[in-house]
Amino acid sequence: MREKDFISIIKNTLSSNYIGDDCAYLKDLGIVITQDSLVERVHFSLEYMNAFQLGYKSVAVNISDVCASGAEPKYLTIALSLPSDIDNNFIEEFYKGAKSAGVEIVGGDITGADKVFISVCAIGSSKGRKISSRKNAKIGYKVVISGMHGLSSAGLKLLTLGKKEPENFIKAHLEPIPQVEFCSQISENIKSDYAMMDTSDGLMDALSTIANESGVLLKVDYDKIPSGKGIDKNLVLFGGEDYGIVAVVPKSFDCGGVVVGEAVEGLGVDLKINGKTVHYSKQDVEGKIFNHFEGINNEI
């Protein structure tokens, strides 16, 4: 069983129209809300990540979801579960790191556990912005990418091998930077419906999810994807934790980023690579992305 299967069961059981995007858009309240959990040895290891970095990243990944919805990140709450051998310095450094991400922390919870568990709830404001949905890509729209891809997963691979260089790969994994300005540029200026999603679970996951939720085929040129020099294509496409953005917007809309393709009639993703076109169905992609129920060692 995989994460997306569980989400489908939950959505059907609750009969909720809010579940599906990374953020729930509560239009009557003018907010979006999201929650992400990080579990030691599933999403991170304290062998190569210090408390400050962990606090920062725990918050940054939620900020990324809010930005991808088109909203402005406003407030956070943090639930932190810790084993008994954690000291006061860890707590202080964790919250210094969380604070450094630049969004106000307004509460949370703290309790004991057998290892470190973190759950962050992020709230964003939709005021003056048009909120995105994975279902809003339309035939004739262009596919735009912001952020570099493959660096984070390459950095994780280096860390697990005990290496500390190239430094930019390591930093991409430990200190991801949410695409705040790019997302704001779109949501504050666009008039049409549009699709937008971060690449936390991999670039191909974002492309495939938007394509299948919207009922379109995304034609993408691999050579145009911003990525690190010399990084294996599987890390670029499926590595995850880059926290870049995929946006599918009208061709006439200028939002910056790199145009890598277009939405056409069909379903799934057609990737042009090495002079050939490879088709990826929803099942093809879901079989390759990181499984949150297996652990961190399966991510690389």
Side-chain angles (χ1 to χ4, degrees):
M1 186 67 76
R2 301 181 67 85
E3 179 189 14
K4 291 181 183 292
D5 298 319
F6 287 135
I7 292 172
S8 179
I9 291 170
I10 293 167
K11 183 176 182 179
N12 292 335
T13 302
L14 297 179
S15 301
S16 174
N17 293 323
Y18 293 103
I19 297 173
D21 288 299
D22 282 329
C23 288
Y25 176 31
L26 308 181
K27 191 174 182 179
D28 55 328
L29 300 180
I31 64 171
V32 304
I33 188 166
T34 187
Q35 185 165 357
D36 258 355
S37 297
L38 289 86
V39 180
E40 187 178 1
R41 297 307 307 163
V42 175
H43 302 100
F44 65 91
S45 172
L46 293 176
E47 293 177 8
Y48 54 72
M49 180 178 249
N50 63 42
F52 185 95
Q53 292 166 332
L54 181 58
Y56 169 81
K57 188 171 182 178
S58 300
V59 165
V61 302
N62 283 270
I63 292 174
S64 180
D65 279 342
V66 172
C67 291
S69 77
E72 177 190 6
K74 295 293 287 186
Y75 301 108
L76 301 161
T77 62
I78 302 175
L80 188 59
S81 300
L82 301 168
S84 58
D85 60 349
I86 291 292
D87 59 20
N88 291 350
N89 183 66
F90 181 96
I91 302 292
E92 182 177 356
E93 287 299 306
F94 178 91
Y95 279 94
K96 282 182 178 179
K99 183 179 179 180
S100 73
V103 177
E104 187 172 3
I105 301 166
V106 297
D109 188 28
I110 190 162
T111 187
D114 60 346
K115 56 184 175 180
V116 179
F117 293 83
I118 306 152
S119 187
V120 178
C121 177
I123 298 171
S125 171
S126 64
K127 185 177 180 180
R129 295 169 181 241
K130 190 170 183 64
I131 300 302
S132 71
S133 173
R134 300 172 181 183
K135 300 178 180 179
N136 284 345
K138 294 177 172 53
I139 293 172
Y141 277 20
K142 62 185 177 183
V143 180
V144 185
I145 291 178
S146 179
M148 300 288 285
H149 288 82
L151 275 69
S152 177
S153 51
L156 173 58
K157 193 168 185 177
L158 291 169
L159 287 167
T160 60
L161 294 172
K163 299 180 180 181
K164 297 183 179 180
E165 294 182 350
E167 187 176 352
N168 62 323
F169 289 7
I170 305 294
K171 190 170 184 178
H173 182 71
L174 297 179
E175 302 172 30
I177 300 175
Q179 302 291 307
V180 178
E181 293 184 7
F182 176 76
C183 296
S184 297
Q185 165 67 18
I186 293 176
S187 65
E188 290 178 351
N189 295 287
I190 198 166
K191 304 301 180 185
S192 305
D193 288 340
Y194 68 104
M196 191 156 68
M197 185 174 169
D198 82 357
T199 59
S200 55
D201 286 331
L203 174 59
M204 187 59 78
D205 172 73
L207 291 166
S208 177
T209 299
I210 290 173
N212 285 282
E213 290 287 328
S214 298
V216 298
L217 176 69
L218 298 185
K219 296 180 67 176
V220 175
D221 186 341
Y222 179 85
D223 289 338
K224 294 181 180 179
I225 296 171
S227 61
K229 185 177 180 180
I231 295 179
D232 184 88
K233 69 177 180 63
N234 286 318
L235 296 184
V236 174
L237 296 173
F238 299 101
E241 293 208 330
D242 287 303
Y243 300 98
I245 293 290
V246 172
V248 187
V249 300
K251 286 186 177 179
S252 59
F253 181 70
D254 183 12
C255 61
V258 179
V259 179
V260 299
E262 62 179 338
V264 299
E265 188 174 348
L267 189 66
V269 180
D270 273 359
L271 186 69
K272 181 183 176 184
I273 183 167
N274 296 329
K276 298 180 180 179
T277 298
V278 181
H279 180 74
Y280 288 89
S281 68
K282 179 180 179 181
Q283 292 74 22
D284 293 333
V285 174
E286 291 183 0
K288 291 178 176 288
I289 61 175
F290 173 58
N291 187 349
H292 294 262
F293 295 91
E294 291 181 353
I296 197 167
N297 291 329
N298 293 288
E299 192 172 4
I300 58 175

